[in-house]
């Protein structure tokens, strides 16, 4: 059973940076598709970034975050990161870590609503 625990959320001002962490357990394969999703109030959940899946950067990152966010996995620490730079007001929301070994391509992963494992979420607020 895969378990995911996010942390690192907080309140920042526009233009600042924040790094989210997701500690995972139950994953033995060092190439296990994982990613970050976010949901803002009254908006649909958005697949922000994915890793250990096939595809280009266009598939790996949402257009809204490309060039500003970086997804990194440190399997030696069982931790998935989302490094967020140049944060904007519209980046606010609850950020979730997700994992599913059955979806191998990044685009399908980011647009899936039915992934196997989800964390509890961490809040990010960007305000001036």
């Amino acid at each position: 059973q895969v378990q995911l625990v996010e942390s690192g959320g907080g309140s920042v001002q526009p233009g600042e940076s924040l790094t989210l962490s997701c500690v995972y357990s139950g994953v033995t394969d060092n190439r296990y598709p994982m990613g970050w999703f976010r949901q803002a109030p009254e908006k649909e959940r958005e697949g922000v970034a994915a890793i250990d899946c096939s595809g280009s950067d266009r598939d790996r990152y949402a257009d809204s975050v490309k060039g500003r966010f970086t997804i990194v996995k440190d399997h030696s620490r069982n931790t998935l990161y989302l490094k967020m730079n140049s944060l904007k007001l519209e980046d606010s929301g609850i950020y979730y870590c997700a994992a599913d070994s059955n979806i191998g391509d990044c685009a399908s992963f980011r647009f899936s609503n039915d992934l196997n494992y989800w964390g509890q979420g961490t809040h990010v607020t960007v305000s001036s």
Side-chain angles (χ1 to χ4, degrees):
Q1 181 78 3
V2 174
Q3 292 187 323
L4 308 168
V5 179
E6 303 96 333
S7 63
S11 296
V12 296
Q13 294 186 337
E16 293 186 337
S17 299
L18 201 61
T19 296
L20 306 182
S21 301
C22 171
V23 176
Y24 56 85
S25 60
V27 175
T28 56
D29 186 351
N30 63 3
R31 279 196 60 84
Y32 195 109
M34 302 181 74
W36 289 94
F37 290 73
R38 68 184 180 188
Q39 186 157 24
E42 302 181 359
K43 289 189 177 181
E44 291 190 358
R45 187 170 57 196
E46 176 185 28
V48 173
I51 195 168
D52 288 345
C53 47
S54 62
S56 65
D57 273 356
R58 184 178 63 182
D59 301 315
R60 193 168 291 115
Y61 292 95
D63 288 343
S64 57
V65 306
K66 209 163 295 179
R68 301 187 297 121
F69 290 13
T70 304
I71 186 170
V72 177
K73 182 191 282 186
D74 185 344
H75 194 60
S76 67
R77 297 178 182 269
N78 283 7
T79 303
L80 179 72
Y81 300 97
L82 184 67
K83 299 180 178 181
M84 307 185 293
N85 295 323
S86 302
L87 282 161
K88 303 177 181 180
L89 298 175
E90 54 265 38
D91 292 320
S92 297
I94 302 174
Y95 282 70
Y96 299 92
C97 175
D100 194 325
S101 63
N102 296 316
I103 300 179
D105 69 280
C106 295
S108 297
F109 188 99
R110 288 202 299 108
F111 286 100
S112 175
N113 287 314
D114 194 25
L115 299 177
N116 278 340
Y117 304 106
W118 293 87
Q120 82 290 348
T122 186
H123 288 253
V124 173
T125 302
V126 184
S127 66
S128 54

